[in-house]
Amino acid sequence: MSKRTLKKIRNIGIIAHIDAGKTTITERILYYTGKSHKIGEVHDGEAIMDWMPEEKERGITITSAVTTFYWKDCEIHLIDTPGHVDFTIEVERSLRVLDGAIGVFCAVGGVEPQSETVWHQADKYRVPKIAFINKMDRLGADFFGTVRQMVEKLGANPLILQLPLGEENGFKGVIDLLKMKAIVWNEQDLGATYKFVEIPEEYKEKGKKYRERLIEKIAEIDEEVMGLYLDERPIPEATLKSVIRRCTIDLEVVPVLCGAALKNKGIQPLLDAIVDYLPSPLDLPPIEGIEPKTDEIMRYPPSERAPFCGLVFKIMMDQGRKLTFVRAYSGSLKAGETVYNPRKDVKERIARIFRMHANRRERVAEIKAGDIMAVAGLKSVTTGDTLCQPEHPIILEPIEFYRPVISIAIEPKTKEDEEKVGIGLSKLSEEDPTFQIKEDKDTGQTLISGMGELHLQVLINRLEREFHARVNVGKPQVVYRETICKEAEAEKVFEKVLGTTPHFGHVRLKVLPLPRESGIKFLRKISPEQIPEIFWPAIEEAIRNTINQGVVLGYPMVDMQIELIGGGFKEHSSELGYSIAANQAIKEAINSASPILLEPIMKLEVIVPEVFMGEVISDINARKGKIEAINRGKGVNIISATVPLSHMFGYSTDLRSMTQGRGSFTMQFLRFDKIS
C-alpha cells in the first residue's frame, strides 16, 4: 500500500450515551456518502447499522457494527458503537483498534454518565476525538452548557469551530467560524445539499466574538499563528486547519461541531472534520508489542512492506459460522495464507476475507495495513488475540474485559433443548467476553453472568431465536466478590506417598487486606534456600486457583495481598506437594482473616421533573442509596446517587410508575464494596 493511500485512510468510531443520536448520525453519513440509497430511521426499526432483530425491536444499538465509505477521496472505516452501559465492552474493544472517535452529545442532556465512561475509555487508549453536539432543534437545547460540561466532567479542552444558527424550534443551521459563513441545508432533498451564506445580522457580533476566541486559543498553541495574530495579518484557513489537526492528534484540543441529525443538519461538515482533523494510520506511532519468546519490544510501522500484524477485536457468529474482526496494523495478508496466533501458539489458514457493511459482506482478496475487516476460517482465536506471520511473531497488548455483576439461572425446557442450549451458550460466550457460564454443582442449574438485566435478556432472546434453544429462566441474582478484613498467617506441611512416589511441600503464607479496587497482589518473601525457585510457580498457581472460589459463598477473592513468607524443602519435594500445601494454607489463612462479601455498587443518575422529586429521592433512600448531588436543569432535575445493585431490580418499572412515565435513569457499575 502506497504512503499516499494510507494517508487517505481514517479508522473512526462514534461513541456516546444511549439515545444521543449515534446511529441516526451514521445513517445520514451512509446516505450522504452514497453508501445507502435511503435514510434508515432507528424509531422505524430500519436503521442499516442496527441489523440484529433485538436492535430493531428495542430501537437501540447492541453490537458494534463496521462499515466503509468514501468522502473527499478518503476511505473511512467506521464503527457505530452501543450507548447502553450493559454493552460497554463493545465500545472498549472498538476503541482499542480505532485511530479517532466522534463523541456525540445530546444538546439537552449534555454530558451524560455513559458519555463520561466512553470518553474516558477513549482517553485510556489515547484516541483523538471530535465532539458533535446533536439535537440542537430540541426543546431545552443548550450548546454552551454542553461545552461547559465537557470541561467540568470530561476535563476536555473544547475548541469551538461552529456555533448554532438558532436553537430549539428556531434552529436553522450552523455558523462556520473558520470561513465566517453560515451553513443552511435544503430540507427538500433530506439535507443532501447545503449552501454557505452570509451570517445573519443578529448573529454577526456573536460570530466575531467566538472567531476571536478561536484564533486566540490556536495562537496560544502555535507560534506561526501567534505571529500573524500579533501582526494583525490575515491567517489562512489552511494554516488554522493544519494546527487544529496537529493539536487534535496530540490530544491537546477537541474540535466542537453541532447540528440536528434527525433534521438532516450538520452531517457534511462533520464528515469534512473527520478528513481534516482525525488521524490516518501514518499520523500515529508504530504499533508496539513483544516478541513472545524473548519479551523484546517490537515495533511495526503502518506499511505494507512490514510483516503482517493485526489484532482480533471482535468475534461474531453469523448463521453458526465464526467471523473474526481484525484491525490490520502492518503488512498484508491474502485469503488462503497461513496466520500465526502467538498467544495460543496456533497456526491457521485464512479461508476468506470480507469488507463488512453492518451484517452484509463484500468478499475481498487481501487485508492490508490500515484495514478493518472480517476473516473466516479461524477456529481457535478469541477477542484480544494477535494475528501475525509465523516467521515474525509479536503479541500486541490485549483488550481489558469487564467483570460481570449480575447472574441468572437457566435450564433447558425439554430434553431436546439440552444440546442446543449447550451449543448456543458456547457460541455466545465466544462472541462476548463479558458473558460467563458456570455450572452450579449443588442445583445442577446453569448460571449465566453478564453486565446487566438487559444484557442477559438479549442473550437469552438470541439463544431462542438463533439456536432454537428454549430455556426456563430464574430470577436475576447479584454477582458478589469476597475479601478479608484483617491480617492472618497459616503454615501447612504436606507429606505423603501417592502410589509409589513420595511427595513433600511445606508452605507458610500471610494475607493482608488492601483498599477497594486493588485486586490481588502476590509477593514472595523467601529465599531459594527455603524453597527452590523451581517450585514457586506451582505455589502461586495453586493459590490463584484457590482464591477464584472464596470461602464465604464461593465468589472470587479481591483486594488482598498474599505473601509467601516461609517454608521448607526435602529431597522428595514436588510440585504436587507444594500445590497441596499452598492450597491448604491459603484456605486456613483466609478463614482466619475475617472474610466478608462485597456487593456491586452502581452509579445511578435519574432525570426527573421537579414535581416528582420528593417521591424519587425517598425511593432511592429506601433502596439504601446515597444521594450525592442534585443538579437543576431546564424543567427537570438530575439526581446523582450510588446504590447497591441488589436493590435495583425492577427499578425501570417503578420509576415509570412514580413519574407517570416522565422519568428516566442510567446506571453503571462503580465498585465492589462491603454489604451495608
Side-chain angles (χ1 to χ4, degrees), residues 622-666:
R623 294 172 189 269
K624 297 192 175 180
K626 293 178 182 174
I627 306 293
E628 299 201 321
I630 298 173
N631 297 313
R632 310 278 169 184
K634 285 188 178 179
V636 294
N637 294 329
I638 301 170
I639 304 168
S640 298
T642 57
V643 60
L645 175 62
S646 57
H647 293 269
M648 291 303 290
F649 295 127
Y651 186 65
S652 180
T653 305
D654 293 343
L655 182 65
R656 276 199 300 271
S657 175
M658 280 184 283
T659 62
Q660 298 174 10
R662 293 168 64 193
S664 64
F665 79 100
T666 55

Side-chain angles (χ1 to χ4, degrees), residues 168-316:
E168 299 181 343
N169 291 335
F171 180 69
K172 301 182 186 71
V174 302
I175 297 169
D176 186 323
L177 296 177
L178 291 177
K179 296 184 187 298
M180 281 306 284
K181 295 279 187 182
I183 309 174
V184 291
W185 276 263
N186 184 351
E187 295 185 8
Q188 307 306 313
D189 61 3
L190 299 175
T193 58
Y194 58 98
K195 58 185 177 181
F196 288 90
V197 298
E198 290 301 318
I199 299 171
E201 200 62 42
E202 65 268 31
Y203 289 99
K204 277 188 177 174
E205 277 307 309
K206 194 175 189 179
K208 284 178 186 174
K209 174 183 166 185
Y210 280 93
R211 159 83 178 188
E212 188 74 11
R213 287 189 185 179
L214 172 64
I215 301 298
E216 285 175 2
K217 207 163 186 177
I218 296 173
E220 288 172 9
I221 300 167
D222 186 80
E223 287 184 13
E224 183 187 350
V225 175
M226 175 66 83
L228 293 169
Y229 176 65
L230 293 175
D231 293 343
E232 296 186 356
R233 285 185 286 162
I235 304 169
E237 187 182 331
T239 301
L240 292 173
K241 283 186 173 181
S242 173
V243 177
I244 294 169
R245 176 181 179 79
R246 190 189 77 232
C247 295
T248 303
I249 292 170
D250 291 343
L251 305 180
E252 292 178 27
V253 299
V254 178
V256 179
L257 297 88
C258 61
L262 197 60
K263 294 291 176 67
N264 310 312
K265 293 180 172 74
I267 304 303
Q268 293 92 337
L270 176 61
L271 282 164
D272 291 342
I274 291 168
V275 170
D276 291 339
Y277 307 128
L278 291 180
S280 75
L282 291 177
D283 293 313
L284 300 171
I287 191 66
E288 194 174 279
I290 59 166
E291 209 284 338
K293 289 181 181 173
T294 63
D295 284 347
E296 177 190 349
I297 293 176
M298 313 277 287
R299 293 181 183 87
Y300 287 172
S303 163
E304 190 183 336
R305 298 186 195 90
F308 178 78
C309 168
L311 186 74
V312 174
F313 69 95
K314 180 178 169 70
I315 304 290
M316 185 173 93

